Amino acid sequence: MPPPAVPSASAPGLDALGRGVVVREGQAAPPGWDAAPRLRIDDAVVADPGPVADVLHHAWLTRQRVVIELVAGNDVVREPEATDLAPYLLPRDFAFSRERLHWLTWANTYDARGGQPVWWHGVLAQRRCGAGASDVADIVLADDRHAWVDGGPRGPVEAFADPIVHRESVGLGRLTVLGTAAPADELAPDQLAAVAHRSGPARVIAPAGSGKTRVLTARLRHLIRDRNVEPELITALAYNTRAAAEMRERTADLAAGRRVNIRTLHSLALWICRMERQRQIIGEREQREILDQLVSTARIPNQDPYQPYLEALGEVRLGLVDPATVEVQRGDVDDLPDVFDRYRAELDRRGWLDFDEQIFRALELLLTDADIRRRAQLAGTHLLVDEFQDLTPAFLLLVRLVAGPSQQVFGVGDDDQTIYSYAGATPDHLVDFDRWFPGAAHHALEVNYRCPPGVVVAVTRLLSHNRHRVDKSIRSGAEVAS
């Protein structure tokens, strides 16, 4: 099947969709892209792809046209990446920048290297999904409507009335038309603004009593029910099993015929680990059994010889701190680097995973196995993350790796409620959200429905003394109702 005819670059709709174009070295941009910024991807950029990927990511998020002059070999740019470095040796903002560069190069661009621009997402919609060819848009749907196959961030496109099928749907072999209905849940104005977030990453600051879980579950329903996002592309992450159960209860209306993917972080990690092989989950008794073989300590009455090592193993695997550093800082875990390696080797030999090893081993698999990473990223195409302020460094890296190059993360939390600092959790992960997910929109819930006005005022005054926090305006629900 020959590539379909491409509408003129000035055709209605194309400017709103913000499509770019890829050209060869020295090739002139096609008509319609003459004034667009031109970016060159050569061997030097491939060696250090981060800065150009950042520019392309901004253009993708904001739907700004660009011309990409692809000088480096496309096969080189798209080669899967991997690293054998231990997760604790990586920075918190680690990313596979070359993979990100390749994804952004083709996410929302025509391929004009052969002369005539080709919109491959439309081609795939015809070849894989049975769409018809259109001379005024990208495809024709089964109901004879002409539609566009969008490659930008998934969500409503401002001032755009034509039907849209997203490339995410085409990748699943479907021609799902993007829904544009407003959230159906009854929500306060600040909650509605967060739930109706258009596209791309978002941070939602949700102080105590402001309806955090309501917003997260309403967002999940909105994506599936109102926007027609395929459930298998969405994962909602709760911090613990009780919160996950509550989220499932609140989204029970979606259960009929649809699998709503609500997990804890550990459940997500275990799913990733089991892509490699089946493993048994163990508790503290088995952990101590292994440590008893590895650690020689004096038996002191009323002191637990293994507790320091259990805590230190957590600091390494959740806090992502080098074992040698943990040994020096603690002073009560001799030979920790050796114990750490031997302990994990014994877990692997027995086919066991303890609670923290689920996270650490999942990170290793995501970092070393591109096929496992792609499978996880498909389920994490749209990530909703609860209690973001309680993410440890390992949790944050897990979220970033699963979110993939599009980084479509909807993070909800309150930097004033961080409670797990012993494992490296820090309000910085929420306060500095833009560092981890560039271009994020910011939403704030401002009404405390749980406490009377006097309590809200007192708590707000007390929390204002926290040095590193997001400034908040919090009102009592009683004041709003009056």
Side-chain angles (χ1 to χ4, degrees):
M1 177 187 298
V6 178
S8 166
S10 60
L14 283 187
D15 190 54
L17 294 173
R19 293 177 178 176
V21 63
V22 178
V23 300
R24 303 185 314 273
E25 183 176 12
Q27 180 183 355
W33 284 275
D34 310 79
R38 190 177 181 108
L39 295 170
R40 179 183 172 92
I41 298 179
D42 54 18
D43 292 342
V45 170
V46 173
D48 182 21
V52 172
D54 288 342
V55 174
L56 287 177
H57 192 258
H58 175 76
W60 177 75
L61 276 177
T62 57
R63 296 186 178 272
Q64 295 180 14
R65 292 189 187 186
V66 292
V67 177
I68 301 174
E69 185 177 5
L70 187 57
V71 179
N74 193 50
D75 289 344
V76 174
V77 182
R78 73 181 178 187
E79 183 70 22
E81 289 187 272
T83 178
D84 291 325
L85 289 175
Y88 56 74
L89 295 177
L90 300 174
R92 285 181 291 173
D93 56 356
F94 172 82
F96 286 114
S97 295
R98 180 162 49 76
E99 284 188 2
R100 181 167 170 248
L101 177 71
H102 177 259
W103 187 87
L104 289 164
T105 298
W106 297 106
N108 196 30
T109 53
Y110 284 99
D111 184 358
R113 294 174 298 168
Q116 173 72 8
V118 177
W119 183 246
W120 287 112
H121 303 315
V123 174
L124 293 176
Q126 294 183 45
R127 293 178 179 175
R128 295 180 180 177
C129 310
S134 170
D135 57 358
V136 296
D138 293 324
I139 57 173
V140 176
L141 301 173
D143 58 6
D144 294 327
R145 287 185 296 168
H146 293 259
W148 302 87
V149 182
D150 183 30
R154 189 165 183 172
V157 180
E158 191 172 358
F160 195 91
D162 294 343
I164 290 176
V165 174
H166 201 272
R167 61 175 297 217
E168 294 172 1
S169 300
V170 173
L172 295 174
R174 303 176 197 171
L175 295 175
T176 307
V177 176
L178 178 72
T180 58
D185 293 63
E186 293 186 8
L187 300 164
D190 55 349
Q191 296 171 341
L192 179 61
V195 171
H197 168 69
R198 188 176 295 275
S199 60
R203 182 190 72 181
V204 181
I205 298 297
S210 62
K212 170 180 62 65
T213 304
R214 180 179 179 82
V215 164
L216 197 73
T217 53
R219 175 68 176 180
L220 178 58
R221 280 197 299 273
H222 178 52
L223 291 178
I224 295 175
R225 182 181 57 200
D226 305 319
R227 295 195 180 173
N228 297 335
V229 178
E230 293 81 2
E232 57 265 51
L233 300 180
I234 307 172
T235 297
L237 294 175
Y239 200 85
N240 54 43
T241 55
R242 185 176 65 178
E246 181 179 358
M247 290 170 62
R248 292 188 189 100
E249 182 179 349
R250 293 193 183 207
T251 55
D253 57 312
L254 297 176
R258 301 179 181 183
R259 182 177 180 273
V260 181
N261 197 18
I262 297 174
R263 297 179 177 272
T264 64
L265 287 154
H266 283 84
S267 170
L268 172 66
L270 179 59
W271 173 66
I272 293 169
C273 290
R274 285 178 171 167
M275 291 185 198
E276 178 198 28
R277 58 186 274 210
Q278 286 295 315
R279 295 173 186 260
Q280 178 185 347
I281 305 303
I282 65 168
E284 192 171 306
R285 181 177 63 83
E286 291 85 0
Q287 290 181 271
R288 290 172 178 273
E289 175 189 328
I290 296 177
L291 287 173
D292 186 55
Q293 302 174 22
L294 303 179
V295 176
S296 298
T297 61
R299 296 298 193 268
I300 302 175
N302 301 319
Q303 288 192 17
D304 183 346
Y306 303 125
Q307 188 60 36
Y309 283 91
L310 292 172
E311 294 173 359
L313 289 171
E315 292 175 36
V316 176
R317 294 182 293 178
L318 295 186
L320 297 187
V321 183
D322 191 306
T325 301
V326 173
E327 178 183 8
V328 172
Q329 290 175 341
R330 292 187 60 97
D332 58 357
V333 283
D334 293 343
D335 301 319
L336 180 63
D338 181 61
V339 171
F340 178 78
D341 290 339
R342 293 170 62 200
Y343 174 83
R344 296 193 64 236
E346 185 63 16
L347 284 178
D348 187 64
R349 187 186 71 81
R350 301 189 188 193
W352 286 358
L353 290 171
D354 66 31
F355 201 53
D356 296 342
E357 186 66 14
Q358 294 175 54
I359 303 295
F360 198 81
R361 182 56 186 155
L363 288 177
E364 288 183 326
L365 291 170
L366 292 171
L367 292 167
T368 59
D369 192 316
D371 289 335
I372 287 178
R373 187 165 66 247
R374 277 192 290 268
R375 290 177 60 189
Q377 287 175 350
L378 181 66
T381 303
H382 299 270
L383 271 182
L384 288 71
V385 185
D386 196 10
E387 304 291 6
F388 205 92
Q389 77 283 350
D390 285 330
L391 296 188
T392 68
F395 293 156
L396 177 66
L397 181 58
L398 179 69
V399 167
R400 282 174 42 79
L401 289 171
V402 171
S406 67
Q407 298 288 289
Q408 297 175 111
V409 174
F410 187 85
V412 182
D414 181 10
D415 49 304
D416 289 324
Q417 296 187 63
T418 301
I419 60 175
Y420 292 106
S421 59
Y422 74 92
T426 167
D428 293 355
H429 294 160
L430 189 64
V431 175
D432 299 330
F433 194 87
D434 287 2
R435 175 181 173 187
W436 325 116
F437 307 101
H442 295 174
H443 301 278
L445 307 185
E446 298 183 344
V447 181
N448 183 318
Y449 296 96
R450 188 182 302 160
C451 302
V455 173
V456 172
V457 171
V459 170
T460 300
R461 185 179 299 119
L462 177 64
L463 293 175
S464 68
H465 294 288
N466 290 344
R467 293 183 178 181
H468 192 46
R469 68 190 294 264
V470 179
D471 289 335
K472 302 176 182 67
S473 173
I474 308 174
R475 297 167 291 156
S476 168
E479 291 178 312
V480 175
S482 62

